[in-house]
Structures are given as structure tokens and as C-alpha cells.
């Protein structure tokens, strides 16, 4: 049996839950599927201090639970499940959950987010939220006057290093190659900054510390005569080697950029397929903040409401 839905929301981060709040209040009877990580990446953040309305800060888990409860309060049906296939060839659109639940949706809001790329070290998970971060803008404040390390050699890594240098006492930039891939202007800013030290031809072997990150083990000049291991005392470890949008399952139907971010029309969450919208980090390769994701979820729900009204629903 195929379930028919007016507004299907895929994903449960700030974009998904906000879209659900607005869609429910507009009487669209939204159904939201949470995905593999209910609440999204923010649930792995211990403290969020830059989301409006929480003057004393809030844990990422609590923030997402508050948004979830608000969406449910207005009647959103929230289910656990993964989208395993979609067919956007014609409306209503076909979506399959966990390879067995078949849905027909008049509108679809994709809010599946983006996943930060990690090095693959066990310590990254061990210290997640306790010194390991993939967002300097989100967590940099906690490292005022402390020592941090940033992994990466591109523009993002340089931007994060410069941002962190405005707060931290010292910033190490760990670069696997013997050069920075960033633009010339960013390279110059990093290389000339008094608080930033770039460690070229350096790899991270592991992190150390009691409950929180307190140090980093490094390997420099691998397989060269001057190969050596070293250890640095640090308080924070920031990954800046890129994000991967969770968009693979939609690429047959929707246009993405070379990284995988879903392309939207102008400054809206509309995609090239009428009735299908993209909100949050799956379509945002620039800001990637909880508040901007929530705002785009609001826009997506409003566009879905307009679309359904025009179709007479």
C-alpha cells in the first residue's frame, strides 16, 4: 500500500524541523523522516551558544529536541527511516523508505544535510564534542586564549585558521602536502599571521587527553630521511578538509555542483523540479550554520505551501 502525503520532509536537522514547524502551522500535514542521525549533526555538539533564544547556551541534543517537540506540537508526523530511492519524474513523487515503505508526495523538502569529512582516526569519535570539531565558527569561542590545530590546506582551512587566530593563543595548521592549496591571498594571510604556524608534510597520528583533547601526535616527512614523530599540546582539533553533501540518492533527478551540493534557483529553496525543494546544508556550501539552515527550512515550507495552493490542495 502506498501512503499519500502532501508535504514530505527528508531529514531532521534545523532545516528539516523548521520546515516541519512552518508546514504544520500551514495545515500541510507534513510527514518527516529523520534519517540515520535523528536531529542531525548538531546532536553531536556539546554546547551551542550562537543560536538565538538561548542566552546561556544549550546542548545540541537539547536544541534539536526542542525543535522536534515544537514540530510535533503542531501536528507533524515524525518517523524514523532512511530514504532508499526516489522517483521525481512526475508528481506526485515516489519515495521509498528502507526499501519497503512506499510514499507518494505532492511536495518534497530535502533537508539531508552535509557530513564533515574526517581523517578516519578512532580518536575523532572518541573526542567528538570534547575537543574535536568540524566547525570553527560554531565552536571557536570555546577556545579563547587556548591552543588549537586545524587540519587542511585549502581555502576553508585557511579561513578557519584565521578566524580561530582571532580567539586562540596559538593556531597550528597541519598540511599533509608541502604546500597550501588555498588562494594566494589566503596563503599570504596565513603565512604572515603571528599566531599561526603551518606544519607542512605533516600527518595526524592520533589525539591524546583525559576526557578532552590535550595533545596531538604527529608524523612529519613520511618516508623521507628526516621523518620524525612529534607531539604538541593542544586544546582543540578542527577538521577543515571539506564536507560531503548527503545528496547522492537525488543526483539522478537534481542538478548538483561538482562537490554535490544541490543547486537551487536564485535565492530560494526551489530546485529545477517543481514541488521539490532543498534546504539546509545539502544546498549550502557557504554558511553551514544552524540558524541559516533553519531559515532555509522556513523558506522551503513557505514555497511548498504556495505550490500546493496553486495546485488547489
Amino acid at each position: 500500500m502506498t501512503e499519500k502525503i502532501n508535504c514530505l520532509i527528508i531529514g531532521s536537522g534545523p532545516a528539516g524541523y523548521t520546515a516541519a514547524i512552518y508546514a504544520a502551522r500551514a495545515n500541510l500535514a507534513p510527514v518527516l523522516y529523520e534519517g540515520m542521525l535523528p536531529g542531525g549533526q548538531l546532536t553531536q555538539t556539546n554546547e551551542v551558544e550562537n543560536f538565538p533564544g538561548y542566552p546561556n547556551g544549550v546542548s545540541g541534543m537539547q536544541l534539536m529536541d526542542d525543535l522536534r517537540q515544537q514540530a510535533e506540537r503542531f501536528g507533524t508526523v515524525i518517523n524514523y527511516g532512511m530514504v532508499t530511492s526516489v522517483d521525481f519524474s512526475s508528481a506526485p513523487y515516489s519515495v521509498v523508505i528502507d526499501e519497503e515503505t512506499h510514499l507518494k508526495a505532492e511536495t518534497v523538502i530535502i533537508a539531508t544535510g552535509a557530513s564533515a569529512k574526517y581523517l578516519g582516526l578512532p580518536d575523532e569519535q572518541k573526542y567528538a564534542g570534547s575537543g574535536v570539531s568540524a566547525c570553527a565558527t560554531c565552536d571557536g569561542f570555546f577556545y579563547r586564549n587556548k591552543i588549537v590545530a586545524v587540519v587542511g590546506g585549502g581555502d576553508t582551512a585557511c579561513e578557519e585558521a584565521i578566524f580561530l587566530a582571532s580567539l586562540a593563543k596559538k593556531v597550528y595548521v597541519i598540511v599533509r602536502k608541502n604546500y597550501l592549496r588555498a588562494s594566494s591571498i589566503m596563503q599570504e594571510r596565513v603565512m604572515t599571521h603571528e599566531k599561526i604556524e603551518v606544519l607542512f608534510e605533516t600527518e595526524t597520528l592520533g589525539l591524546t587527553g583525559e576526557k578532552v583533547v590535550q595533545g596531538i601526535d604527529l608524523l612529519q616527512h613520511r618516508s623521507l630521511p628526516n621523518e620524525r614523530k612529534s607531539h604538541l599540546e593542544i586544546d582543540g582539533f578542527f577538521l577543515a578538509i571539506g564536507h560531503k553533501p548527503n545528496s547522492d540518492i537525488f543526483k539522478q533527478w537534481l542538478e548538483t555542483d561538482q562537490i554535490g551540493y544541490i543547486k537551487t534557483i536564485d535565492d530560494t529553496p526551489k530546485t529545477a523540479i517543481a514541488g521539490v525543494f532543498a534546504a539546509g546544508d545539502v544546498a549550502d556550501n557557504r554558511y553551514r550554520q544552524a540558524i541559516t539552515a533553519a531559515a532555509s527550512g522556513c523558506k522551503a515550507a513557505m514555497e511548498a505551501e504556495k505550490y500546493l495552493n496553486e495546485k488547489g490542495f
Side-chain angles (χ1 to χ4, degrees):
M1 182 177 177
T2 299
E3 181 183 355
K4 296 183 178 179
I5 298 171
N6 278 345
C7 180
L8 174 64
I9 301 168
I10 305 172
S12 57
Y17 282 146
T18 304
I21 292 167
Y22 274 79
R25 294 184 75 251
N27 295 320
L28 303 187
V31 175
L32 181 149
Y33 277 87
E34 293 180 308
M36 185 180 297
L37 183 62
Q41 286 191 88
L42 214 58
T43 58
Q44 299 177 316
T45 300
N46 282 350
E47 191 77 11
V48 179
E49 292 195 328
N50 57 0
F51 197 91
Y54 293 92
N56 298 315
V58 62
S59 72
M61 187 71 75
Q62 184 62 57
L63 172 58
M64 299 319 301
D65 189 56
D66 288 346
L67 289 176
R68 187 186 202 276
Q69 290 185 48
Q70 192 172 359
E72 289 181 313
R73 174 194 168 197
F74 295 113
T76 302
V77 175
I78 298 178
N79 298 320
Y80 178 79
M82 287 283 296
V83 173
T84 48
S85 68
V86 299
D87 185 343
F88 292 158
S89 58
S90 62
Y93 303 112
S94 298
V95 178
V96 179
I97 307 294
D98 296 329
E99 299 183 348
E100 59 182 15
T101 302
H102 293 261
L103 311 175
K104 284 286 188 179
E106 294 294 338
T107 60
V108 178
I109 296 175
I110 300 168
T112 48
S115 301
K117 293 180 180 178
Y118 286 81
L119 298 174
L121 302 172
D123 291 337
E124 291 170 319
Q125 297 303 315
K126 177 181 178 181
Y127 296 105
S130 299
V132 172
S133 173
C135 180
T137 306
C138 309
D139 300 326
F141 179 81
F142 301 112
Y143 298 92
R144 295 179 71 88
N145 299 316
K146 295 186 177 182
I147 301 172
V148 299
V150 177
V151 176
D155 279 324
T156 298
C158 289
E159 287 170 5
E160 299 222 335
I162 292 167
F163 173 77
L164 288 167
S166 69
L167 301 167
K169 178 170 63 177
K170 174 80 173 182
V171 179
Y172 293 104
V173 179
I174 300 169
V175 186
R176 185 168 57 87
K177 297 183 181 297
N178 61 358
Y179 60 88
L180 291 169
R181 294 181 291 103
S183 60
S184 297
I185 185 65
M186 294 305 297
Q187 290 188 44
E188 181 181 356
R189 290 173 181 171
V190 164
M191 297 301 295
T192 58
H193 200 293
E194 60 181 5
K195 288 187 180 180
I196 299 175
E197 181 178 347
V198 182
L199 305 176
F200 290 109
E201 296 183 85
T202 302
E203 301 173 33
T204 302
L205 295 178
L207 301 169
T208 62
E210 290 292 328
K211 296 184 179 179
V212 298
V213 170
Q214 295 174 307
I216 183 171
D217 292 325
L218 302 171
L219 175 65
Q220 296 176 285
H221 313 295
R222 178 186 288 276
S223 301
L224 296 175
N226 58 341
E227 175 182 305
R228 72 183 185 94
K229 292 181 179 180
S230 61
H231 178 82
L232 296 174
E233 292 185 358
I234 63 170
D235 303 291
F237 181 73
F238 288 83
L239 291 137
I241 54 177
H243 285 75
K244 184 182 186 304
N246 301 318
S247 62
D248 287 353
I249 201 167
F250 308 109
K251 287 183 177 180
Q252 178 184 352
W253 308 101
L254 300 174
E255 186 179 3
T256 64
D257 67 12
Q258 60 182 4
I259 299 173
Y261 290 97
I262 295 175
K263 290 187 177 182
T264 56
I265 299 171
D266 298 326
D267 189 30
T268 75
K270 295 179 180 178
T271 70
I273 298 178
V276 177
F277 310 93
D281 288 8
V282 74
D284 178 8
N285 66 356
R286 183 170 182 178
Y287 298 106
R288 297 192 299 271
Q289 298 297 301
I291 191 65
T292 52
S296 67
C298 161
K299 293 179 184 179
M302 294 177 71
E303 292 290 353
E305 179 188 12
K306 181 181 178 182
Y307 173 85
L308 289 170
N309 285 340
E310 290 174 351
K311 290 192 69 175
F313 284 89

